[in-house]
Amino acid sequence: MATERDELTGAETTGHEWDGLKELNNPLPRWWLYILYASIVASVIYSFFVPPIPGVMGVFETTRAVVRQDIELARDAQSANLERIRLASLQEIRDDASLRDFVYSGGSSVFAENCAPCHGPGGAGVPGYPALVDDVWLWGGTLGDIHDTIAYGVRSDDPDTRWSEMIAFGRDDVLNHSEIEDVSHYVLSLSDTDNDREAALRGEVIYAENCATCHGDAGEGDDLLGAPALNDHLWLYGGTLDEVISQVDNPKHGVMPAWHERLDDTTIKMLSVYVHTLGGGQ
Amino acid sequence: MFKHHHFVERNLTLMSVLILITISIGGLVEIIPLYLVRSTIEVVEGVRPYSPLEMRGRDIYIREGCYTCHSQQIRPFRDEVERYGHYSLAAESMYDHPFQWGSKRTGPDLARVGGKYSNEWQVAHLIDPRGVVPESIMPPYSFLAERPLQTDDIFDRMDANIAVGVPYDESMVENAMDDLFVQADPWGDHDGLLARYPKAVVGDLDGDPSRLTEMDALVAYLQILGRMVDFADTAVEDLEAMR
């Protein structure tokens, strides 16, 4: 077909006209075209390196193999430290100043992902989920205790889990309502929290008969049973009269998952030392 | 060949035919390889259909649009594998219709959240996310604990899943109604359920054993996510050979 040329530039036009406007039919820039052709050639070559064709092995690995190698490489870079942690006892790791930074940064990042949603940022604790920054422990605060709590959990589905159960004194009709109220006043008196003196006196006997086996004669708690101390001002489930009554009536029981299947041994060791250093490891 | 542009562009039939040919080549290049491989789904032990309660939980997950903020696919990158666990396998979502892989992560990936938290935490978090995670921007779903779970349509739902290829067998269908209730009953007999659906989390899921709520179902579903495959028994080479 006849091509029309623009008078001013001498370039070909597309031959269309809209309201007197015409479009120049300039060629695409050369550099742009060449890049396009080069990418077409590259894609053909690339398809042989990462073959989409079954049965043809490529030069490049699958992403799944690459991720395994990436992780192995990263582990290799840390291998000196990781190997020392693997071989050392918890106490040795705790005492080794040259491992401190490594254990702290490793421990804190695993903690933020896995533990903080329950124990609060930095282990500060939320109601029902104990603070790990203080020196009060339900299940013991030695390195070994902390390690076992993390590895096997509390009331988890692991066969080695820590386990105990407070009797449901109200629900199971062991104590009647006024007895529960009296003993709760006595519990509050252990930590000098506001209470009714007379009720607390009546509660003392009930406490000695029903509660002291687990919570101790003076309410000091028992970390073999995970029974919290009742003579301090730290409460897992709250320290108002109503909250104490509710716990005696129909107790709550904290559940923490076991971690030894989700996290490897070295990581759990690092976490144990990290938690121990947070505040009050024994 | 560029000289013929005008001719092609002005000849509608010819252009349509050429477009069709071009697109077909593109399509065939993508599709033919899939016919030549045995399967794109890894052969692994452990993946089973969802128990009736988990399946209902999944329905609620979809109804509430949890996927708009949560993906369920751990990609094979180091940062993801180190954070969330083993990369996801196609096999792990082969009974998901539709799958929940997603690409939007306002919240974390949930592909392996099963067993990471206790039932109590899941319930507390769904009722009031900021009560447990102060900086959370997840909306509260407290109404789920109030709403009784609709159960009368469970057989229809099993049938619908069977129709799209989920291998529920006869005993699974027969026991569907019982299984639905017994999974959230702390005093129930769970042997049959666990034989049909190994690793299902049983017991009082939502903290209210007296009735079956939507919360029970959602927690049952969240607690099984990512736990079916036992990776200790899976050969790495087989997974890595999949393209």
Side-chain angles (χ1 to χ4, degrees):
Chain A
M1 62 172 288
T3 51
E4 189 189 352
R5 286 191 179 275
D6 176 50
E7 275 173 30
L8 264 176
T9 56
E12 229 177 80
T13 72
T14 55
H16 309 142
E17 183 180 331
W18 292 274
D19 296 341
L21 290 177
K22 289 178 181 174
E23 194 185 359
L24 299 187
N25 191 10
N26 279 325
L28 289 162
R30 289 282 126 162
W31 64 265
W32 190 92
L33 258 188
Y34 288 142
I35 290 178
L36 176 68
Y37 295 148
S39 354
I40 293 172
V41 175
S43 71
V44 172
I45 299 173
Y46 186 74
S47 71
F48 282 95
F49 281 99
V50 187
I53 309 137
V56 183
M57 282 312 286
V59 176
F60 296 160
E61 306 257 25
T62 60
T63 45
R64 290 179 169 183
V66 173
V67 70
R68 177 176 47 78
Q69 289 156 6
D70 277 356
I71 292 175
E72 282 165 5
L73 266 176
R75 288 286 176 279
D76 278 350
Q78 302 171 334
S79 64
N81 283 336
L82 290 177
E83 192 59 14
R84 277 164 66 198
I85 292 173
R86 199 176 66 80
L87 296 173
S89 72
L90 291 165
Q91 192 60 49
E92 284 161 0
I93 303 170
R94 175 77 165 94
D95 294 340
D96 191 336
S98 63
L99 278 176
R100 191 158 297 154
D101 288 347
F102 185 76
V103 168
Y104 189 85
S105 51
S108 61
S109 66
V110 181
F111 191 91
E113 165 62 20
N114 297 291
C115 324
C118 284
H119 290 286
V126 271
Y129 301 96
L132 304 175
V133 291
D134 57 21
D135 57 357
V136 173
W137 299 96
L138 293 165
W139 295 98
T142 68
L143 282 164
D145 291 337
I146 294 174
H147 177 273
D148 289 355
T149 308
I150 299 173
Y152 307 113
V154 181
R155 303 181 188 99
S156 72
D157 49 15
D158 194 272
D160 295 323
T161 183
R162 295 188 181 283
W163 184 276
S164 69
E165 207 171 279
M166 174 161 155
I167 300 158
F169 290 95
R171 196 189 69 205
D172 292 349
D173 294 327
V174 181
L175 299 177
N176 64 34
H177 190 77
S178 64
E179 287 170 322
I180 290 178
E181 224 176 288
D182 291 348
V183 78
S184 299
H185 279 288
Y186 179 71
V187 166
L188 292 177
S189 76
L190 290 171
S191 56
D192 286 334
T193 314
D194 273 352
N195 64 84
D196 178 337
R197 285 303 297 262
E198 294 207 349
L201 276 176
R202 288 194 300 272
E204 185 167 2
V205 197
I206 306 171
Y207 181 89
E209 280 171 8
N210 294 284
C211 323
T213 38
C214 292
H215 290 286
D217 291 335
E220 67 276 15
D222 182 344
D223 61 21
L224 287 175
L225 295 168
L230 302 176
N231 60 359
D232 57 18
H233 288 278
L234 296 171
W235 299 98
L236 196 54
Y237 299 120
T240 65
L241 182 65
D242 283 348
E243 285 163 327
V244 173
I245 289 179
S246 140
Q247 175 72 10
V248 180
D249 177 50
N250 187 13
K252 294 185 192 141
H253 289 103
V255 175
M256 157 150 148
W259 291 92
H260 71 96
E261 275 174 16
R262 287 185 90 96
L263 304 173
D264 61 44
D265 293 349
T266 343
T267 309
I268 291 186
K269 276 176 141 181
M270 279 163 55
L271 263 179
S272 312
V273 175
Y274 170 78
V275 169
H276 193 260
T277 51
L278 278 180
Q282 291 156 0
Chain B
M1 112 195 203
F2 302 108
K3 298 273 160 351
H4 304 301
H5 249 171
H6 277 121
F7 180 64
V8 175
E9 281 181 13
R10 271 147 212 270
N11 192 328
L12 206 60
T13 324
L14 180 63
M15 190 161 81
S16 306
V17 171
L18 291 179
I19 288 176
L20 208 69
I21 292 176
T22 316
I23 293 178
S24 312
I25 293 175
L28 289 176
V29 166
E30 289 189 356
I31 294 165
I32 288 180
L34 291 181
Y35 282 106
L36 299 180
V37 291
R38 228 175 339 108
S39 167
T40 51
I41 301 181
E42 309 85 352
V43 183
V44 287
E45 295 287 316
V47 184
R48 57 155 173 82
Y50 292 111
S51 76
L53 192 63
E54 291 159 6
M55 183 245 275
R56 292 296 285 118
R58 192 174 170 283
D59 294 340
I60 291 162
Y61 183 92
I62 295 171
R63 186 192 72 197
E64 295 305 327
C66 308
Y67 57 83
T68 54
C69 286
H70 292 287
S71 61
Q72 282 188 28
Q73 180 187 203
I74 304 166
R75 295 173 291 177
F77 302 136
R78 185 185 148 213
D79 53 341
E80 300 212 357
V81 171
E82 298 238 37
R83 175 170 177 188
Y84 299 120
H86 201 290
Y87 51 76
S88 296
L89 306 180
E92 289 179 287
S93 42
M94 66 182 164
Y95 301 142
D96 271 6
H97 297 284
F99 61 76
Q100 296 299 311
W101 301 340
S103 58
K104 181 76 177 74
R105 281 189 187 157
T106 304
D109 189 273
L110 297 182
R112 293 202 194 287
V113 84
K116 186 180 176 196
Y117 302 113
S118 56
N119 302 338
E120 291 82 352
W121 186 90
Q122 291 289 5
V123 173
H125 182 253
L126 285 165
I127 288 179
D128 176 18
R130 275 165 294 284
V132 277
V133 181
E135 73 279 15
S136 179
I137 53 160
M138 178 163 139
Y141 291 91
S142 49
F143 59 92
L144 296 176
E146 312 296 324
R147 285 171 63 114
L149 185 71
Q150 185 183 353
T151 53
D152 53 1
D153 55 0
I154 189 65
F155 294 107
D156 294 340
R157 288 177 188 269
M158 299 285 278
D159 285 346
N161 271 282
I162 292 171
V164 290
V166 179
Y168 282 116
D169 64 25
E170 236 171 79
S171 88
M172 288 169 165
V173 175
E174 254 168 47
N175 292 290
M177 190 62 91
D178 290 344
D179 286 348
L180 190 61
F181 281 91
V182 86
Q183 186 167 356
D185 178 358
W187 303 288
D189 175 2
H190 302 119
D191 294 349
L193 174 84
L194 287 172
R196 284 183 284 279
Y197 307 100
K199 294 192 189 177
V201 171
V202 299
D204 175 16
L205 300 166
D206 69 347
D208 175 6
S210 64
R211 61 192 186 134
L212 196 63
T213 62
E214 295 190 341
M215 187 67 90
D216 279 314
L218 187 55
V219 171
Y221 171 64
L222 291 173
Q223 291 291 36
I224 195 64
L225 285 179
R227 286 180 47 234
M228 289 186 193
V229 176
D230 186 355
F231 283 96
D233 289 350
T234 310
V236 184
E237 299 76 40
D238 294 347
L239 300 183
E240 289 181 3
M242 303 296 290
R243 289 196 179 271

